[in-house]
Amino acid sequence: MNDAHVDPLDAPFGRIKVRVSALVFCEDEIALLRRDRPNNVRFFTTIGGNVAAGEPLKVALARELEEELALAPGLGTEPELLWLMDVRVTRPGNTPSPRKLHLIYRLHVSDGVRRSLASHELDELADGGHEIGWVQWIGYRAAADVPLFPPIGSAVSQLSSPTARPDCFELPAVTDRNYSWM
């Protein structure tokens, strides 16, 4: 018998996390967070974050929208679940990479609400510092042309209108075979 028992949760993708995010539309534009990294590396993320243990999905989404965009509940349309994406990508670092299920919602805000929203958000880093995420509005059809994570730009840009229902709920899985971590 082997005494070197490995906990399956310590293996890559042994843990499952859930991330909620939103495509916040104002007419034909969506809000994304732009992240600027050293060596002129720039990428974008959807507005959102991880769901805490026991937290209802809609509560987590409302919390993230308020934290990152200063969008209070009720100021936009009711969030509508558009897509599910299963992400199993090895991330840098010593911690085993989680499997992450991304739930991508859509909601719409008026131009007046948009003007009141945050222009940036601060992500706390492990060392106590902060990383700035800049809120940038882009035409939703241009989403395929920006480095976006989760990689949903192509699906977003293929919507026939900002209110159109997508053809498919489950987006293709993202793995080390088809995606490289930035």
Side-chain angles (χ1 to χ4, degrees), residues 90-104:
T90 304
R91 296 179 68 164
N94 297 329
T95 306
S97 298
R99 178 179 190 175
K100 197 171 279 194
L101 298 177
H102 291 258
L103 301 173
I104 299 116

Side-chain angles (χ1 to χ4, degrees), residues 19-163:
R19 182 180 192 273
V20 291
S21 65
L23 294 170
V24 179
F25 276 83
C26 182
E27 298 177 7
D28 286 350
E29 293 187 317
I30 56 172
L32 298 174
L33 285 176
R34 188 188 81 222
R35 309 283 183 180
D36 298 332
R37 296 281 165 83
N39 301 324
N40 294 321
V41 173
R42 173 176 284 174
F43 70 98
F44 295 82
T45 63
T46 53
I47 308 294
N50 291 331
V51 177
E55 185 178 30
L57 297 174
K58 293 256 178 145
V59 171
L61 182 63
R63 175 180 51 76
E64 290 293 340
L65 287 166
E66 198 152 12
E67 286 175 6
E68 295 185 356
L69 205 53
L71 178 60
L75 291 181
T77 61
E78 181 67 24
E80 165 190 25
L81 183 58
L82 285 187
W83 292 300
L84 167 73
M85 179 178 271
D86 184 3
V87 177
R88 296 176 309 258
V89 176
T90 304
R91 296 179 68 164
N94 297 329
T95 306
S97 298
R99 178 179 190 175
K100 197 171 279 194
L101 298 177
H102 291 258
L103 301 173
I104 299 116
Y105 292 81
R106 169 178 57 197
L107 63 113
H108 299 266
V109 297
S110 68
D111 193 51
V113 168
R114 175 182 169 170
R115 286 192 298 271
S116 71
L117 298 178
S119 61
H120 68 282
E121 66 96 21
L122 299 176
D123 261 355
E124 191 171 331
L125 300 173
D127 66 5
H130 290 88
E131 175 186 61
I132 299 174
W134 299 99
V135 176
Q136 190 165 333
W137 293 83
I138 67 166
Y140 81 96
R141 296 220 183 259
D145 301 326
V146 299
L148 176 61
F149 194 85
I152 61 169
S154 178
V156 173
S157 69
Q158 291 175 21
L159 291 171
S160 60
S161 76
T163 58

